[in-house]
Amino acid sequence: MEPSKVDVEKGDYSPDTASDHIYSGEAEGAHRSWGTRFVDSFKRDPNAAVIPKGTVGADGKVFDAGAAAEATANSPLARKLKGRHLQMIAIGGSIGTGLFVGSGKALANGGPASLILAFGLIGIMLYCTVHALGEMSVLFPVAGSFSAYSTRFLDPAWGFAMGWNYAMQWLVVLPLEIVAASITINYWQHVTSNAAWVAIFLVIIISINLFGVKGYGEAEFVFAIIKVVAVIGFIILGIILDCGGGPKGGYIGGRYFHDPGAFNNGFKGLCSVFVTAAFAFAGTELVGLASAETGNPRKSLPTAVKQVFWRITLFYIVSLTLIGLLVPYTNQRLISGSSSADAKASPFVIAIENAGIQGLPSVFNVVIMIAVLSVGNSSIYGSSRTLAALADQNQAPKILGYIDRHGRPIVSIAVASALGFLAFLAASDVEGDAFTWMLALSGLSSIFTWGSICLAHIRFRAGWKAQGHSLDELAFRSQPGIIGSWIGFGFNCLVLIAQFWTGFAPIGYGSMSASERVETFFEDYLAAPIVILFYIGYKIYYRTPFMKAKDMDLVTGRRELDISALVAEEKAERAMWPKWKKAYKFFC
């Protein structure tokens, strides 16, 4: 039997019949009690696996690239995400402590000009990366991991390394973010133990993900709206304060760009901000991951991808410009935080407190806590989908590929949730060391993921051209195109170099001992040797080939769309738009 022929009678998955097989005995199920139906929902769905049954990802020391492509072609996970979910995930999904709190340390290290410059350049890189991801995701909607693009267009061994890199990133982020959320409570009170708050937040995040992809989508929709409203509100308030409209009055303007200055710690200060900026954008790629669980990615994904432009421009660049105008980089509170989520070190909170506004800092602290919970929510979603895909390609224990009757990778969700209990280390003596090294594991993961997306897009375009296809056949085309992917890939490489330099010789390294410098380097760069070890080990064991342009599989899993008819229909519709709508739709 050809791998693309899916035999539903034998229990394999067919996306066209997925909705008909949520319960194998739907007629009988209508007469069962609620409790029985609830228990049965966790049973394995005999018609679904993340990877269709009967295919081989990597078995018997032979990696079958064709089987791997077939394996990721059909997603049995419930396609319940709507366009509004994707749009809000794109606009506000990655707005979190990197922006609200981490930008404070970046301001202290590099100064306001470095802050704006670094975030702007990394924003350009992310804009190019997300467009490259959008082009491939619309054509090849993939469940579980971006490693599928690396496997198909680069090298299966690199795809394996990227899959585990991405899974480990989110697995360690969950306990980190839960502890961070409990720390935000200390802004108001210190009576209740952090362990109690850890338990509360863990229950909330796990419960959201037990509602499946729709639960994740609705929660992120609400979280994103709150974060977006908060940032827009701060921008309006920041303009008023800078112009002298606050309770204390007094025009500020660009005073802090002159005294203490626009830059701090020279070029090394700028490089350190590059790294912080890259981490602040982590999670942007979740739009592509969620596309496989979206009802109509051809319509929803391009709109969501284009809206990344607005998030980068409005929410990051404008808000951080105002931060640079309102808070001098010499403010000691910027580096006084006990963690990456300590609101006391947030430049947003500091700017409001400096203006003499009462009550509003507490409101913004609530927003920071919600942002932390949002990242924790995304961590279970991202890691569970990645683990399930790896498992069904024989690249992880098979039990992780268990899909229940509600389309949830329930075992992978359980594993990701279980690691969240590491957050209880917050109440122990080993808290500092444990979380420092967990953070080190996830530190560079996003950089490797984004770089791989850009390089995979470059190779995809080479294969597309070599096999006689034209760009007119693409359902969605990246606006910055192949040049944008080269820019994105180049910037990712520069960030890796900058991180190596700032890790090897950090700011103030002259006063550090040799052991402290070694420890600091591995805290900053631990993810790199782990990725290289995964890649080389898999490469040697399976002897995987580098994918040549002429050999790439550009057929399996491709969305069969009548592109010419779609383009003609869209052109006719676009011709009737007024000029303002044409300009808006170009960006959105």
Side-chain angles (χ1 to χ4, degrees):
M1 179 186 293
E2 295 179 11
S4 60
K5 304 289 186 181
V6 181
D7 189 352
V8 178
E9 293 181 1
K10 291 184 180 179
D12 290 337
Y13 175 76
S14 169
D16 298 325
T17 60
S19 60
D20 298 329
H21 292 281
I22 293 178
Y23 291 100
S24 57
E26 190 171 350
E28 295 87 346
H31 302 291
R32 293 178 297 174
S33 66
W34 177 87
T36 303
R37 294 199 305 271
F38 176 75
V39 172
D40 285 350
S41 72
F42 290 95
K43 293 181 179 179
R44 183 189 290 273
D45 184 351
N47 304 291
V50 169
I51 305 305
K53 298 177 183 178
T55 62
V56 179
D59 205 7
K61 294 190 67 172
V62 176
F63 188 90
D64 187 338
E70 178 67 29
T72 55
N74 299 305
S75 168
L77 300 170
R79 291 181 178 174
K80 294 183 178 179
L81 286 181
K82 299 179 181 177
R84 63 182 176 87
H85 296 137
L86 271 190
Q87 289 173 29
M88 291 312 296
I89 290 171
I91 293 175
S94 71
I95 296 176
T97 53
L99 173 64
F100 291 138
V101 182
S103 58
K105 187 177 181 181
L107 176 62
N109 286 337
S114 291
L115 193 69
I116 298 167
L117 186 61
F119 271 81
L121 291 174
I122 297 297
I124 293 172
M125 179 264 284
L126 251 296
Y127 179 75
C128 297
T129 301
V130 173
H131 270 266
L133 176 61
E135 181 177 304
M136 293 186 292
S137 295
V138 170
L139 197 63
F140 303 102
V142 172
S145 176
F146 308 104
S147 63
Y149 299 133
S150 296
T151 297
R152 186 179 286 208
F153 304 128
L154 299 176
D155 180 352
W158 187 248
F160 169 79
M162 286 299 97
W164 275 105
N165 166 68
Y166 197 70
M168 285 194 299
Q169 171 191 349
W170 285 118
L171 286 172
V172 301
V173 159
L174 177 60
L176 289 170
E177 294 302 320
I178 291 175
V179 170
S182 68
I183 290 173
T184 61
I185 300 295
N186 293 336
Y187 187 85
W188 295 290
Q189 62 90 34
H190 299 270
V191 178
T192 308
S193 169
N194 275 2
W197 294 110
V198 165
I200 292 171
F201 292 136
L202 197 57
V203 168
I204 292 173
I205 292 173
I206 293 174
S207 298
I208 289 172
N209 279 273
L210 286 179
F211 282 98
V213 69
K214 192 168 185 180
Y216 164 75
E218 293 294 351
E220 283 303 299
F221 182 75
V222 174
F223 290 156
I225 287 177
I226 294 172
K227 290 185 286 186
V228 167
V229 169
V231 174
I232 293 175
F234 177 82
I235 289 173
I236 296 171
L237 175 64
I239 294 172
I240 294 172
L241 295 178
D242 192 60
C243 294
K248 292 185 178 180
Y251 176 75
I252 299 174
R255 180 191 309 168
Y256 297 133
F257 274 74
H258 299 284
D259 182 20
F263 293 92
N264 188 29
N265 293 314
F267 185 66
K268 184 174 289 185
L270 175 63
C271 287
S272 68
V273 180
F274 269 119
V275 175
T276 304
F279 297 158
F281 284 105
T284 306
E285 71 286 339
L286 282 169
V287 175
L289 188 66
S291 66
E293 297 180 72
T294 304
N296 186 1
R298 164 68 183 90
K299 183 177 180 181
S300 303
L301 192 59
T303 300
V305 164
K306 291 177 183 178
Q307 286 178 345
V308 171
F309 168 84
W310 292 108
R311 190 187 71 212
I312 293 170
T313 304
L314 181 62
F315 302 141
Y316 283 84
I317 306 304
V318 175
S319 63
L320 290 175
T321 299
L322 289 167
I323 287 296
L325 293 172
L326 296 172
V327 182
Y329 69 74
T330 52
N331 192 305
Q332 290 301 308
R333 286 181 289 174
L334 293 172
I335 54 175
S336 65
S338 59
S339 82
S340 62
D342 192 341
K344 296 174 184 175
S346 168
F348 290 80
V349 173
I350 293 171
I352 296 170
E353 289 179 341
N354 286 349
I357 300 174
Q358 302 297 320
L360 200 54
S362 290
V363 173
F364 220 90
N365 192 58
V366 173
V367 175
I368 292 173
M369 185 172 66
I370 289 172
V372 171
L373 290 175
S374 172
V375 175
N377 184 38
S378 296
S379 69
I380 292 185
Y381 175 80
S383 59
S384 63
R385 270 59 181 181
T386 305
L387 285 174
L390 287 169
D392 281 322
Q393 291 179 92
N394 289 336
Q395 294 177 332
K398 277 189 172 295
I399 188 63
L400 294 176
Y402 183 102
I403 306 292
D404 70 10
R405 297 185 179 189
H406 279 186
R408 300 169 298 195
I410 198 68
V411 175
S412 291
I413 289 175
V415 170
S417 302
L419 285 178
F421 285 91
L422 289 174
F424 284 104
L425 289 172
S428 72
D429 296 332
V430 297
E431 173 195 356
D433 290 340
F435 288 105
T436 295
W437 291 108
M438 278 197 290
L439 187 61
L441 275 175
S442 65
L444 291 174
S445 295
S446 292
I447 307 300
F448 281 108
T449 298
W450 298 336
S452 296
I453 290 171
C454 290
L455 190 58
H457 180 245
I458 292 168
R459 294 298 301 149
F460 157 70
R461 282 287 189 94
W464 193 253
K465 181 179 180 181
Q467 296 184 26
H469 296 283
S470 70
L471 296 182
D472 293 334
E473 297 176 60
L474 296 175
F476 169 70
R477 195 186 309 174
S478 166
Q479 285 182 346
I482 195 75
I483 295 176
S485 292
W486 277 113
I487 292 172
F489 179 70
F491 266 114
N492 277 290
C493 292
L494 288 176
V495 171
L496 287 175
I497 295 171
Q499 177 72 332
F500 183 88
W501 183 40
T502 56
F504 179 76
I507 295 172
Y509 74 95
S511 60
M512 300 169 66
S513 66
S515 61
E516 288 174 335
R517 288 171 61 179
V518 170
E519 184 176 340
T520 299
F521 174 77
F522 280 105
E523 286 175 2
D524 290 342
Y525 226 72
L526 181 62
I530 290 177
V531 167
I532 293 171
L533 183 64
F534 271 61
Y535 172 68
I536 293 177
Y538 200 86
K539 184 77 173 176
I540 293 173
Y541 191 77
Y542 287 105
R543 301 183 183 277
T544 58
F546 295 105
M547 303 307 295
K548 297 179 181 178
K550 64 183 180 63
D551 297 329
M552 291 177 188
D553 183 355
L554 301 178
V555 178
T556 305
R558 196 167 85 200
R559 279 292 171 94
E560 294 300 328
L561 299 170
D562 188 346
I563 302 300
S564 58
L566 283 172
V567 170
E569 181 181 339
E570 288 177 358
K571 282 184 177 180
E573 182 182 354
R574 197 176 294 118
M576 301 179 68
W577 290 347
K579 289 184 179 180
W580 68 266
K581 190 171 183 179
K582 290 180 180 178
Y584 173 78
K585 284 293 183 179
F586 178 80
F587 293 108
C588 296

